[in-house]
Amino acid sequence: MQSPSHPTTRPTLLRSGAQRFADAADTRAIAQRRLPRMVFDYIDGAAGRETAAKANRSELDALRLLPRVLHATEGASLQTRFLGQSLAQPWGIAPMGMCNLAWPGADTMLARAARQRGMPLGVSTAASTNLETVLKQSAGHAWFQLYVTGGTEAALALADRAAQAGYRHLVLTVDVPKVAPRPRDVRNGFAMPLRLGPAQYWDFAMHPAWSLSTLWAGIPRTANFSAQAAFDRYASRAGANWEFLDHLRAHWKGQLIVKGVLHPQDAVRIRDAGADAVYVSNHGGRQLDSAPAAIEQLGLIRAAVGADYPLVFDSGIRSGEDVVKALVCGANLVMLGRATLYAIAAGGAQALDQYLDAVQESALTALVQLGVRSPAELGPQLLAHPPVDPSQSQEPS
Ligand SMILES: Cc1cc2nc3c(=O)[nH]c(=O)nc-3n(C[C@H](O)[C@H](O)[C@H](O)COP(=O)(O)O)c2cc1C
């Protein structure tokens, strides 16, 4: 007999028109065909030789989960609590600048998905739709991401603007004191605002569907800034320091989450400074090429901050099974980055929905194979090769 609570559908095929996608690798491949090279590389690229971005994937792939059988998993659900809120699933969407480059209307598609699924959506300082509009479109599910750019006073003013708009969550990103050079962007002449020369026009001409729709919708720009006080992508963001964190903690009355943390001691100090959550991330490998894979640091940070302190995680997540791996390693909430933009570029809102459904299906399937009924039951005991706990090791006799 089928349990009503277990998925009874066939595996989801991501479909857009005639296209069928099985997973994020497929949507990435279609995105690569549909987008001008400069745009695809802005989304897909990373710092340096892209070692950290590759390590995010290889370390996630290397993690082995050990199935447990014959457990009563009927009624299993992905329902989660995070920072006092009930969420239908333990994931959300990471803040990303200039999403409308992936396809016109991408910000609105993400906001709609956040609204319909009740999941958090990070709205970047460098978003291509203004923070007020995205909060409305997401029906309050948006979190504002703050860069300290243009000085600390300007950053506090932006935080005030977010509070005024109704944001209750602020994500302070601290791993970009300076934007890292990304070789693909350098080669393609990518700049913000876009600078167009013969190479870029040729690139656009070879991708007419994207180019015509983008021209029609208007070339995306950093919409939280005016032409007079423009966002300078290359300006220092090093004003995000410990002193600023203390100041911001006293200033911001809502939930404060600090993003871009890899060192356990930094995580402990951020917790002790009064942040509500630490967001473990290596920025998808877009900052320090020789940084460790974020997943390698997650267990160490969980051990350092204690069992109950809220941790968000991103970097390299592509599937629901990846989400489960991050939860097993100590995350409470996992954010999807590039994968959501690949889906939008491959097939718009429909492909995004189908991708998110596929994440849901794969996460729930992994959960029940691990013999548990809820994300709260996941932990390192489900790793096939758990890290050795030195306190448990036997003394040789
Ligand atoms: C196109 C793009 C733009 C991004 N912009 C921002 C940003 O403005 N602020 C920020 O904190 N992180 C930004 N990130 C990093 C993401 O929040 C996230 O850490 C990263 O994408 C996770 O890795 P993944 O893409 O492999 O999942 C950006 C990432 C991408 C791909």
Side-chain angles (χ1 to χ4, degrees):
M1 203 175 77
Q2 284 281 4
S3 153
S5 51
H6 277 194
T8 53
T9 47
R10 290 195 208 107
T12 310
L13 286 175
L14 301 178
R15 218 174 274 128
S16 161
Q19 299 282 9
R20 282 161 183 262
F21 316 115
D23 56 25
D26 280 2
T27 49
R28 179 181 177 277
I30 306 293
Q32 188 163 21
R33 287 213 290 277
R34 295 187 85 201
L35 294 177
R37 174 191 284 249
M38 181 175 81
V39 173
F40 177 76
D41 282 348
Y42 163 65
I43 295 166
D44 191 64
R49 288 181 298 137
E50 308 195 347
T51 325
K54 285 182 200 125
N56 284 338
R57 280 307 320 154
S58 58
E59 293 300 323
L60 273 164
D61 285 341
L63 278 181
R64 305 282 89 203
L65 300 175
L66 196 55
R68 300 304 306 268
V69 298
L70 297 173
H71 285 269
T73 57
E74 280 170 26
S77 129
L78 292 163
Q79 193 91 23
T80 300
R81 284 197 76 74
F82 188 74
L83 294 180
Q85 265 187 308
S86 181
L87 303 173
Q89 59 279 302
W91 60 82
I93 298 173
M96 289 178 285
M98 297 293 281
C99 292
N100 282 352
L101 278 175
W103 209 265
D107 286 321
T108 301
M109 296 176 204
L110 292 170
R112 186 181 137 271
R115 185 182 76 230
Q116 289 178 339
R117 293 166 192 264
M119 67 184 175
L121 164 66
V123 178
S124 168
T125 290
S128 43
T129 302
N130 70 55
L131 62 92
E132 290 83 3
T133 302
V134 184
L135 186 69
K136 274 199 205 100
Q137 291 176 336
S138 71
H141 291 285
W143 294 2
F144 185 63
Q145 178 270 318
L146 185 69
Y147 275 131
V148 180
T149 175
T152 51
E153 286 309 312
L156 288 175
L158 200 52
D160 286 344
R161 180 176 151 196
Q164 183 75 30
Y167 281 85
R168 283 168 292 144
H169 298 79
L170 188 68
V171 178
L172 174 69
T173 297
V174 293
D175 59 357
V176 190
K178 181 173 171 14
V179 173
R182 300 183 188 139
R184 293 200 233 174
D185 288 349
V186 174
R187 281 186 214 112
N188 296 329
F190 179 83
M192 257 192 237
L194 295 183
R195 261 186 256 123
L196 303 180
Q200 289 76 28
Y201 280 118
W202 176 250
D203 192 10
F204 290 0
M206 301 307 286
H207 299 90
W210 178 91
S211 301
L212 290 174
S213 0
T214 298
L215 268 183
W216 182 255
I219 306 268
R221 56 175 201 89
T222 46
N224 289 321
F225 297 83
S226 64
Q228 294 76 32
F231 175 73
D232 178 356
R233 186 176 187 226
Y234 303 99
S236 167
R237 300 177 199 171
N241 57 25
W242 291 110
E243 196 188 339
F244 180 78
L245 177 60
D246 285 341
H247 199 60
L248 185 66
R249 178 62 290 184
H251 193 82
W252 176 263
K253 302 300 173 216
Q255 306 277 4
L256 180 62
I257 299 146
V258 180
K259 174 174 187 277
V261 181
L262 292 173
H263 199 301
Q265 283 171 11
D266 288 345
V268 168
R269 191 165 165 190
I270 290 165
R271 179 199 66 189
D272 294 347
D276 298 290
V278 160
Y279 188 147
V280 179
S281 166
N282 70 6
H283 216 101
R286 292 163 80 84
Q287 277 301 113
L288 185 65
D289 191 28
S290 37
I295 195 75
E296 292 179 281
Q297 297 307 104
L298 180 57
L300 301 171
I301 290 180
R302 169 53 71 208
V305 298
D308 298 327
Y309 186 72
L311 289 180
V312 186
F313 177 83
D314 77 22
S315 294
I317 300 293
R318 300 290 176 267
S319 69
E321 202 163 310
D322 289 340
V323 170
V324 169
K325 286 181 174 178
L327 297 172
V328 160
C329 292
N332 303 103
L333 182 72
V334 180
M335 302 297 254
L336 308 167
R338 291 175 180 88
T340 60
L341 297 185
Y342 298 148
I344 287 173
Q350 199 190 4
L352 176 66
D353 265 349
Q354 289 162 350
Y355 168 68
L356 293 171
D357 285 349
V359 170
Q360 170 116 0
E361 195 166 83
S362 129
L364 191 57
T365 310
L367 198 76
V368 295
Q369 290 184 88
L370 295 176
V372 304
R373 300 172 69 234
S374 121
E377 295 173 59
L378 295 170
Q381 74 281 4
L382 294 164
L383 289 171
H385 312 288
V388 179
D389 176 353
S391 67
Q392 302 294 313
S393 65
Q394 305 247 320
E395 288 293 320
S397 51

